[in-house]
Amino acid sequence: MNTIGKILTLTTFGESHGPAMGGVLDGMPAGVEIDLDELQRFVDRRRTGSYVGASTRDEKDRVEVLSGIWQGKTLGTPIGFIVRNADARSADYDEIARCYRPNHADFTWEAKYGIRDPRGGGRASARETVARVVAGGIAVQALNRLGITVTARIDANSCASAAVLEQVVAQGDTLGGVIECVVSGVPAGLGEPLFGKLHARLAAAMMSIPSIHGFEYGDGFDMASKRGSEVMDLFEKRDDGTIGTVTNHSGGIQGGISNGEDIVMRIAFKPVPTLMREVSTVDRDGNPVTLPPRGRHDACVVPRALPIVEAMAALVILDNYLIKKTNVL
Amino acid sequence: MNTIGKILTLTTFGESHGPAMGGVLDGMPAGVEIDLDELQRFVDRRRTGSYVGASTRDEKDRVEVLSGIWQGKTLGTPIGFIVRNADARSADYDEIARCYRPNHADFTWEAKYGIRDPRGGGRASARETVARVVAGGIAVQALNRLGITVTARIDANSCASAAVLEQVVAQGDTLGGVIECVVSGVPAGLGEPLFGKLHARLAAAMMSIPSIHGFEYGDGFDMASKRGSEVMDLFEKRDDGTIGTVTNHSGGIQGGISNGEDIVMRIAFKPVPTLMREVSTVDRDGNPVTLPPRGRHDACVVPRALPIVEAMAALVILDNYLIKKTNVL
Amino acid sequence: MNTIGKILTLTTFGESHGPAMGGVLDGMPAGVEIDLDELQRFVDRRRTGSYVGASTRDEKDRVEVLSGIWQGKTLGTPIGFIVRNADARSADYDEIARCYRPNHADFTWEAKYGIRDPRGGGRASARETVARVVAGGIAVQALNRLGITVTARIDANSCASAAVLEQVVAQGDTLGGVIECVVSGVPAGLGEPLFGKLHARLAAAMMSIPSIHGFEYGDGFDMASKRGSEVMDLFEKRDDGTIGTVTNHSGGIQGGISNGEDIVMRIAFKPVPTLMREVSTVDRDGNPVTLPPRGRHDACVVPRALPIVEAMAALVILDNYLIKKTNVL
Amino acid sequence: MNTIGKILTLTTFGESHGPAMGGVLDGMPAGVEIDLDELQRFVDRRRTGSYVGASTRDEKDRVEVLSGIWQGKTLGTPIGFIVRNADARSADYDEIARCYRPNHADFTWEAKYGIRDPRGGGRASARETVARVVAGGIAVQALNRLGITVTARIDANSCASAAVLEQVVAQGDTLGGVIECVVSGVPAGLGEPLFGKLHARLAAAMMSIPSIHGFEYGDGFDMASKRGSEVMDLFEKRDDGTIGTVTNHSGGIQGGISNGEDIVMRIAFKPVPTLMREVSTVDRDGNPVTLPPRGRHDACVVPRALPIVEAMAALVILDNYLIKKTNVL
């Protein structure tokens, strides 16, 4: 279950403090031009250092593409890639191997596997998202060739304010936030009517990003308290002869299939669970333990998450673009 | 893409006014006792007639199990079933074959397939959910044998008030609403850490129900505006020696894996798109058309959706229960 | 695991003596003309009575299409169908519920599921193939629209001789045989280079038919004792400007991908395991038992298997035809 | 489609002359002891140099495990690994970029993707099998912990004779051969009754190895010319109280499910298509071309293929071992 997608599939691997993170992007059409420098810049957007309260870990995430792209074009073969974990310090994490950090995956991971890699959270670390961004960055380039763009931005009400963030950091506390993502230029007809509804696929992809607690598209939860007559996206014939809707309460998706309008979705992140304060918890035997304040973590992951959100959206949209090709003989 | 699930899979079929709806539930373990009368009662909960503003169509959804259950027990073989469409009146729908109803899937369906069954919305009708409820009802019984219960209820702020609903119906308008679903008794350790996170699977399953616009679990979107210290689910050792959390902001899932607390999620339904008023729209050529008020539709689907939500939750939880068995040799 | 295929998927269900066999063919492109009478005739080819030594059970396999086809065309939605089991006589099979018939699946089925439907072999009966033939018959029609034909015939060395068969039947014995299947008109470029090699997909599909013990394509096992220079399919430019091969030792597939020549494969069936003689075996406790001669079974399934083989070939080829569409952006 | 398996999945990537081959083995249970030195020795068995007529390319295939194994045990997370391509000489292959080598995948690959990596056959090279052997070697160790062993050997009638091979090499020709593979210690009850029959899964896995043209199990193609009474595997109660069969014509599988006897299968390899002679072919435009004799290729791949066959068998058996766990609640 480290694979996502139907025709375009991404399989990822890697523990936070192992030798490397990596992935395989399979099902990419052949002959698509991919600019590896542009890809590196996309991945760099996920790196630390670009805002107040960011982790001081310097990740230097250099993408190594191992297959599937040759002479600047995709071959149709799986695109294997790795990103080395340059800055692994196993010793930092030894003491927490026996304790369950609150709001982390320590306890649940042990319940599932009976074993856990305590080094930096192992595979439960948000470090795994680097592989998503590499693959998603390739999908973004393919979509751009089709005139489709993907843009994530921090929602107005979120942790965008440097002043608030500084105050929170000073208190050793953390923040969450909301990201809005818009996909423009998507042709009508992408998606599937039943279990593979376009928004169901997008929801699953977004909810698979660490720390997400909510997903909505179009008017989202507000829809629930409105009347049918208030959210009706009436059709109109446009000057270019195409049919579109006057409003976009539906967020570009109706019946699980894109209608040609902007696809608009919002994703809610919980606050970072690692505080820079002492935390009370228990060890494996249930004995009370106090964990010291920890360093090297972001106070708010939302800014770094923008390319992750774009990556996941791009993977889903491109997959559905390919599925659409199979709807006629 | 009419299949959902990994080990326990449900594949459904059927158009609203075709001969029958149906499905195949594959991967059910062998030897599980299934009470078919109890199953019929579960499916009956989805039927019309139980509240103000409900559709007057009498569905009489009799479940016909065709395979996979013998002498009251599952055989391990696929459970095929159908529910006949007793009340199909094709003539009702002829005039809308050329028009695109706002907030329906008419336009997007044609964009995808180039062809559309106009009879009652064809497969885009919420009629398809009857197959989900049959399969989910079987999963619910299996979970009950394991001490796991699934309960959906209309959220306090939703269309529960008969007074409000009567007023809306009188105006020919419609309502949406929010359903909260709680799964109790889930052992810690169900779910997958990456793309198959338990909440990602639940989100995809719920978002695949017609008319859903949002999903959240635990504190959901509220998480985004809280500080880390406010939503910390601290661990404690309980009297029975097990480890649990004092609060449940996380909604029973941490790192994509159940932690043994109640799994709590909320799902937002948009208002029913078929108003009992005239509606302005366009036909295939973009010409303006006025559709007459239509009958035989619910003013609010939320009450009927309760067993659908429970069904989808049960399918996901049981699937993950089976996946968990493969985590050790 | 009652599903086969990637984009075009078939899921089947049904026990031999339950109410019905059935299936769901999902992923069929929209707008394909399907002649249901032609489909019924295709399914009828699988019925009994057409040769010496055939079972005397009259199956009358009437296909009921429940969804996905409307006004003679596919809708793009899943095609659900059932075939009622008209002639179920449960009483015939009660005595064998405790015994393991040699070369049947009684013993292995119980080892897997701990429970077994003894009525006519339950789902282990070759009766299940009727659902394959229905779905495959639809795929055959779609392929025909593309100029692709699928033809299975009994191999020269097999049980084709009525004289031999009569003698075998007189002795209460049974026969196996080999079927050769040729797919003509397949364009070059179908298949996948790695695990989804076209011949690997065909092998899996054929080997999933009951009673199969071997699969080969092109020169098959003979290849193993030849030298490279003897089996070289040299390329030539043909009069119409296309490139083809002078010989076809490769059976139309090179590197797992079709090369435009006829796809040729051979499938080996074991003899029918149910003899019309007494058989010595054991019951669940290992005690020796003698089973009486049984009736109502074919002495050789190969003639009835021709449409089954064609059906499985058609499903695989059409699936790969659709996959091919996704290889370019 | 570079992924194989259901619960235990292997995804591979890599072109022959790209930076590295690699793969991701996902779904491995947690806590399984893996000896990396033993794994390297298993992979070394695939290397060149161990017999007459072998390629002179020195591959030095050092396995780099990047994730999923920690302190000698599996973590339950995906096992990512790479094997660097140390000896890539791109220049060797430039001239053949425009020509189609007979019995290679050059022509079909271009028909499928419209683009082809000519360096050493790219991903169509048998070099890809190194990733299978790494993953399969891990599966072999897991099976061994369960008392299951996998052994492949060259069939008696194949290219085992050094004298014959020397003669063939002297003539610039090549050979194929047959490998027999036996899996012992498999408990009864592994496999699936319908499309996922154990022998169907094994056939697909074996046929996905480059150069395979045939697969059979048990008495295989010989079954087709025998009578039912000749191949009956009668049951008996053994001294230890278990039930087994007196003979094993069925090759350890009945109805697609293992019966506890040895699983026995035979796989036919075609002769190596690259001769050490001049070869006549055509270029992209259909013009006749003569390719010079080529070096650095094996005259017979069968000896090197032994660990590949074992690897594929191990992956299928272990996957089915895990599937079996989900057959009861």
Side-chain angles (χ1 to χ4, degrees):
Chain A
M1 295 285 276
N2 290 272
T3 298
I4 193 169
K6 182 168 169 62
I7 290 178
L8 181 74
T9 60
L10 170 64
T11 303
T12 69
F13 61 86
E15 279 82 50
S16 174
H17 286 50
M21 314 307 287
V24 188
L25 181 64
D26 196 11
M28 266 298 289
V32 181
E33 286 182 29
I34 301 296
D35 181 327
L36 294 181
D37 293 331
E38 188 182 327
L39 178 61
Q40 184 64 58
R41 285 193 297 273
F42 187 82
V43 175
D44 288 345
R45 284 176 55 204
R46 184 190 157 279
R47 284 180 56 194
T48 55
S50 55
Y51 68 100
V52 176
S55 156
T56 56
R57 178 174 174 182
D58 182 5
E59 297 202 17
K60 282 206 184 65
D61 289 330
R62 197 174 63 79
V63 179
E64 273 184 78
V65 172
L66 300 175
S67 66
I69 298 175
W70 184 56
Q71 298 184 333
K73 283 190 181 169
T74 57
L75 285 166
T77 57
I79 301 171
F81 58 86
I82 58 172
V83 176
R84 293 276 172 190
N85 292 326
D87 186 27
R89 295 182 230 151
S90 291
D92 282 356
Y93 294 93
D94 283 354
E95 62 181 285
I96 59 166
R98 303 184 53 258
C99 299
Y100 301 133
R101 291 167 297 163
N103 285 26
H104 278 83
D106 300 342
F107 174 75
T108 55
W109 196 275
E110 273 192 30
K112 180 171 174 65
Y113 294 111
I115 190 175
R116 161 166 73 98
D117 176 2
R119 301 168 301 162
R123 184 143 181 77
S125 163
R127 173 83 186 135
E128 59 90 352
T129 57
V130 71
R132 301 171 185 247
V133 176
V134 174
I138 294 168
V140 162
Q141 291 193 27
L143 288 178
N144 290 349
R145 310 262 176 282
L146 296 165
I148 300 171
T149 59
V150 185
T151 312
R153 58 182 191 74
I154 301 176
D155 197 86
N157 303 317
S158 291
C159 66
S161 151
V164 169
L165 196 51
E166 264 183 69
Q167 185 191 351
V168 167
V169 169
Q171 294 167 349
D173 214 334
T174 60
L175 284 177
V178 171
I179 287 180
E180 183 178 88
C181 182
V182 178
V183 190
S184 298
V186 177
L190 302 199
E192 294 271 326
L194 252 281
F195 301 120
K197 284 189 172 70
L198 191 54
H199 53 269
R201 293 282 310 274
L202 287 166
M206 295 305 167
M207 300 292 286
S208 79
I209 299 172
S211 294
I212 310 290
H213 263 263
F215 174 91
E216 59 181 11
Y217 71 103
D219 283 7
F221 273 87
D222 284 352
M223 275 278 196
S225 52
K226 288 188 181 160
R227 299 197 174 182
S229 58
E230 293 177 284
V231 296
M232 205 61 87
D233 291 322
L234 297 181
F235 286 104
E236 64 174 352
K237 187 173 190 172
R238 291 179 178 161
D239 292 344
D240 63 0
T242 63
I243 293 171
T245 62
V246 180
T247 51
N248 191 17
H249 300 288
S250 302
I253 301 173
Q254 285 175 324
I257 303 172
S258 65
N259 67 355
E261 308 302 314
D262 278 359
I263 294 175
V264 184
M265 57 201 133
R266 295 169 77 247
I267 303 107
F269 287 75
K270 73 173 182 182
V272 171
T274 305
L275 307 189
M276 282 154 284
R277 302 179 184 176
E278 282 192 347
V279 175
S280 298
T281 189
V282 300
D283 65 14
R284 270 177 203 162
D285 305 317
N287 299 319
V289 184
T290 301
L291 292 173
R294 307 214 63 83
R296 246 181 41 164
H297 278 276
D298 295 327
C300 178
V301 294
V302 175
R304 291 180 62 179
L306 292 171
I308 306 172
V309 166
E310 292 175 8
M312 296 313 292
L315 290 169
V316 171
I317 298 295
L318 183 54
D319 193 12
N320 277 280
Y321 186 90
L322 298 175
I323 290 171
K324 172 76 165 66
K325 287 174 172 283
T326 69
N327 291 141
V328 290
L329 204 56
Chain B
M1 293 287 274
N2 290 272
T3 298
I4 192 168
K6 182 168 168 63
I7 289 177
L8 181 74
T9 59
L10 170 64
T11 303
T12 70
F13 60 86
E15 279 81 49
S16 174
H17 286 49
M21 315 307 287
V24 188
L25 181 64
D26 196 11
M28 266 296 290
V32 181
E33 286 183 27
I34 301 295
D35 181 327
L36 293 180
D37 294 329
E38 189 183 327
L39 178 61
Q40 183 66 57
R41 285 192 296 274
F42 187 81
V43 174
D44 288 345
R45 284 177 56 203
R46 183 192 159 277
R47 284 179 58 194
T48 56
S50 55
Y51 69 100
V52 175
S55 156
T56 57
R57 178 174 172 183
D58 181 5
E59 297 202 15
K60 282 208 186 64
D61 289 330
R62 197 174 63 80
V63 179
E64 272 184 78
V65 172
L66 300 176
S67 66
I69 299 177
W70 185 56
Q71 298 184 332
K73 282 189 181 170
T74 58
L75 286 165
T77 57
I79 300 171
F81 58 86
I82 59 172
V83 176
R84 294 276 171 190
N85 292 325
D87 187 27
R89 295 182 230 151
S90 291
D92 283 357
Y93 294 93
D94 283 354
E95 62 181 286
I96 60 166
R98 303 184 53 256
C99 298
Y100 300 133
R101 290 168 298 163
N103 283 28
H104 278 83
D106 301 342
F107 174 76
T108 55
W109 197 276
E110 273 193 30
K112 180 172 173 65
Y113 294 112
I115 190 175
R116 161 167 72 99
D117 176 0
R119 301 168 302 162
R123 185 144 179 77
S125 163
R127 174 82 185 137
E128 60 91 350
T129 56
V130 71
R132 301 170 184 247
V133 176
V134 175
I138 295 168
V140 161
Q141 291 193 29
L143 289 177
N144 290 349
R145 311 260 176 284
L146 297 165
I148 300 171
T149 58
V150 185
T151 312
R153 58 182 190 79
I154 301 176
D155 197 85
N157 304 316
S158 292
C159 65
S161 152
V164 170
L165 196 52
E166 264 183 68
Q167 186 190 351
V168 166
V169 170
Q171 294 167 350
D173 214 334
T174 59
L175 284 177
V178 171
I179 287 179
E180 183 178 88
C181 183
V182 178
V183 191
S184 298
V186 177
L190 304 199
E192 294 272 325
L194 254 280
F195 300 120
K197 284 188 172 72
L198 191 55
H199 53 269
R201 292 283 309 274
L202 287 166
M206 295 304 167
M207 301 293 285
S208 80
I209 299 173
S211 294
I212 311 290
H213 262 263
F215 173 91
E216 60 182 10
Y217 71 103
D219 283 6
F221 272 87
D222 284 352
M223 275 278 198
S225 53
K226 288 187 179 160
R227 300 198 174 182
S229 58
E230 293 176 284
V231 296
M232 205 61 86
D233 291 323
L234 297 180
F235 286 104
E236 64 174 353
K237 186 172 189 172
R238 292 178 178 161
D239 292 344
D240 62 358
T242 63
I243 293 171
T245 62
V246 180
T247 51
N248 191 17
H249 300 288
S250 302
I253 302 172
Q254 285 175 324
I257 303 171
S258 66
N259 66 355
E261 308 301 315
D262 278 359
I263 294 175
V264 184
M265 57 201 132
R266 295 170 77 247
I267 304 107
F269 287 74
K270 72 174 183 181
V272 172
T274 305
L275 306 189
M276 281 153 286
R277 300 179 185 175
E278 284 193 345
V279 174
S280 299
T281 187
V282 300
D283 65 13
R284 270 179 202 159
D285 305 316
N287 299 320
V289 184
T290 301
L291 292 173
R294 309 213 62 83
R296 246 181 41 163
H297 278 275
D298 295 326
C300 179
V301 294
V302 175
R304 293 181 62 180
L306 293 171
I308 307 173
V309 166
E310 293 175 8
M312 297 312 293
L315 290 169
V316 171
I317 298 295
L318 183 55
D319 193 13
N320 277 278
Y321 186 90
L322 298 175
I323 291 171
K324 172 74 165 66
K325 287 174 171 285
T326 68
N327 291 142
V328 289
L329 204 57
Chain C
M1 294 286 274
N2 290 272
T3 297
I4 192 168
K6 183 168 168 62
I7 290 177
L8 180 74
T9 59
L10 170 63
T11 303
T12 69
F13 61 86
E15 279 81 49
S16 174
H17 287 50
M21 315 306 288
V24 187
L25 181 64
D26 195 13
M28 266 297 290
V32 181
E33 287 182 28
I34 301 296
D35 181 327
L36 293 180
D37 293 330
E38 189 183 328
L39 178 61
Q40 184 65 58
R41 285 193 295 274
F42 187 81
V43 173
D44 287 344
R45 285 176 56 203
R46 184 191 158 278
R47 284 180 57 195
T48 56
S50 56
Y51 68 100
V52 176
S55 156
T56 57
R57 178 173 173 183
D58 181 7
E59 297 203 16
K60 282 208 185 63
D61 289 330
R62 197 174 63 79
V63 179
E64 273 185 77
V65 172
L66 300 175
S67 66
I69 298 177
W70 185 57
Q71 298 184 333
K73 282 189 181 170
T74 56
L75 285 166
T77 57
I79 301 171
F81 58 86
I82 59 172
V83 176
R84 293 276 171 190
N85 292 326
D87 186 28
R89 295 182 231 150
S90 291
D92 283 356
Y93 294 93
D94 283 354
E95 62 181 286
I96 60 167
R98 303 183 53 257
C99 299
Y100 300 132
R101 290 168 297 164
N103 284 26
H104 278 83
D106 301 341
F107 174 75
T108 56
W109 195 275
E110 273 193 29
K112 180 171 174 67
Y113 294 112
I115 190 174
R116 161 167 73 97
D117 175 0
R119 301 168 302 162
R123 185 143 180 78
S125 163
R127 173 84 186 134
E128 60 90 351
T129 57
V130 71
R132 302 170 183 246
V133 177
V134 175
I138 294 168
V140 162
Q141 291 193 29
L143 289 178
N144 289 349
R145 311 258 175 284
L146 297 165
I148 299 171
T149 58
V150 186
T151 312
R153 58 182 190 76
I154 301 176
D155 198 85
N157 303 316
S158 292
C159 66
S161 152
V164 170
L165 196 52
E166 263 183 69
Q167 187 191 349
V168 167
V169 169
Q171 293 168 349
D173 215 334
T174 61
L175 283 178
V178 171
I179 287 180
E180 184 178 88
C181 183
V182 178
V183 191
S184 298
V186 177
L190 303 199
E192 293 272 326
L194 253 281
F195 300 120
K197 285 189 171 71
L198 191 54
H199 53 269
R201 292 282 311 272
L202 287 166
M206 294 305 167
M207 301 293 285
S208 81
I209 299 173
S211 294
I212 310 290
H213 263 263
F215 173 91
E216 60 182 10
Y217 71 104
D219 284 7
F221 273 86
D222 285 351
M223 275 278 198
S225 53
K226 289 188 180 161
R227 300 197 173 182
S229 58
E230 293 177 283
V231 297
M232 205 61 88
D233 291 323
L234 297 180
F235 286 105
E236 63 174 353
K237 186 172 190 172
R238 291 180 177 159
D239 292 345
D240 62 359
T242 63
I243 292 171
T245 63
V246 180
T247 50
N248 190 18
H249 300 288
S250 302
I253 302 172
Q254 285 175 324
I257 303 171
S258 66
N259 67 356
E261 309 300 316
D262 278 359
I263 294 175
V264 184
M265 58 201 131
R266 293 170 79 249
I267 303 107
F269 288 74
K270 73 173 183 183
V272 172
T274 305
L275 306 190
M276 283 154 285
R277 299 180 186 175
E278 285 193 345
V279 175
S280 299
T281 189
V282 299
D283 64 14
R284 270 179 202 159
D285 304 317
N287 299 320
V289 185
T290 301
L291 293 173
R294 308 214 61 84
R296 246 181 41 164
H297 279 275
D298 296 326
C300 178
V301 295
V302 175
R304 292 181 63 178
L306 293 171
I308 307 172
V309 166
E310 292 175 8
M312 297 312 293
L315 289 169
V316 171
I317 299 295
L318 183 56
D319 193 13
N320 277 279
Y321 186 89
L322 297 175
I323 291 171
K324 172 75 165 68
K325 287 175 173 283
T326 69
N327 292 141
V328 289
L329 204 56
Chain D
M1 295 283 277
N2 290 272
T3 298
I4 193 169
K6 181 166 169 64
I7 290 177
L8 180 74
T9 59
L10 170 63
T11 303
T12 70
F13 61 86
E15 279 81 49
S16 174
H17 286 51
M21 315 307 288
V24 188
L25 181 64
D26 196 12
M28 266 298 289
V32 181
E33 287 182 27
I34 300 296
D35 181 326
L36 293 180
D37 294 330
E38 189 183 327
L39 178 61
Q40 183 66 57
R41 285 191 297 273
F42 187 81
V43 174
D44 289 344
R45 284 176 55 204
R46 185 191 156 278
R47 284 180 56 195
T48 57
S50 55
Y51 68 100
V52 177
S55 156
T56 56
R57 179 173 172 183
D58 181 7
E59 298 201 16
K60 281 206 186 67
D61 289 330
R62 198 174 63 80
V63 179
E64 272 184 77
V65 172
L66 300 176
S67 67
I69 299 175
W70 184 56
Q71 297 183 333
K73 283 190 181 169
T74 57
L75 286 166
T77 57
I79 301 172
F81 58 86
I82 59 172
V83 176
R84 294 275 172 191
N85 292 327
D87 186 26
R89 295 181 230 151
S90 291
D92 283 357
Y93 293 94
D94 283 354
E95 63 181 285
I96 60 166
R98 302 184 52 257
C99 299
Y100 300 134
R101 290 167 298 163
N103 285 26
H104 278 84
D106 302 342
F107 174 76
T108 56
W109 197 275
E110 274 193 29
K112 181 171 173 66
Y113 293 112
I115 190 175
R116 161 166 73 97
D117 175 0
R119 302 168 301 162
R123 184 144 180 77
S125 163
R127 173 84 186 134
E128 60 91 351
T129 57
V130 72
R132 300 170 185 247
V133 177
V134 174
I138 294 167
V140 162
Q141 291 193 29
L143 289 178
N144 289 350
R145 310 260 175 283
L146 296 166
I148 300 170
T149 59
V150 185
T151 312
R153 59 181 189 76
I154 301 176
D155 197 85
N157 303 316
S158 291
C159 67
S161 152
V164 170
L165 196 52
E166 264 183 68
Q167 187 191 349
V168 166
V169 170
Q171 292 167 350
D173 215 333
T174 60
L175 283 177
V178 171
I179 287 179
E180 184 178 87
C181 183
V182 177
V183 190
S184 299
V186 177
L190 304 199
E192 294 271 326
L194 253 282
F195 300 121
K197 284 188 171 72
L198 191 55
H199 53 270
R201 293 282 310 273
L202 287 166
M206 295 303 166
M207 300 293 286
S208 80
I209 299 172
S211 294
I212 310 291
H213 263 263
F215 173 91
E216 60 182 11
Y217 71 103
D219 283 6
F221 273 87
D222 284 351
M223 275 278 198
S225 53
K226 288 187 180 160
R227 301 197 174 182
S229 58
E230 293 176 284
V231 296
M232 205 61 87
D233 291 323
L234 297 181
F235 286 104
E236 63 175 354
K237 187 172 190 171
R238 290 179 179 160
D239 293 345
D240 63 358
T242 63
I243 293 171
T245 62
V246 181
T247 51
N248 191 17
H249 300 288
S250 302
I253 302 172
Q254 285 175 323
I257 303 172
S258 65
N259 67 355
E261 308 301 314
D262 279 359
I263 294 175
V264 184
M265 58 202 131
R266 294 169 78 247
I267 303 108
F269 288 74
K270 73 174 183 182
V272 173
T274 305
L275 306 190
M276 281 153 286
R277 300 180 187 176
E278 283 194 344
V279 174
S280 299
T281 189
V282 300
D283 65 14
R284 269 180 202 158
D285 305 316
N287 300 321
V289 185
T290 301
L291 293 173
R294 307 214 63 83
R296 244 180 43 164
H297 278 273
D298 295 326
C300 178
V301 294
V302 174
R304 292 181 63 179
L306 293 172
I308 307 172
V309 166
E310 292 175 8
M312 297 312 293
L315 290 169
V316 171
I317 298 295
L318 183 55
D319 192 13
N320 277 279
Y321 186 89
L322 297 175
I323 291 171
K324 173 74 166 67
K325 287 174 172 284
T326 68
N327 291 141
V328 289
L329 204 56

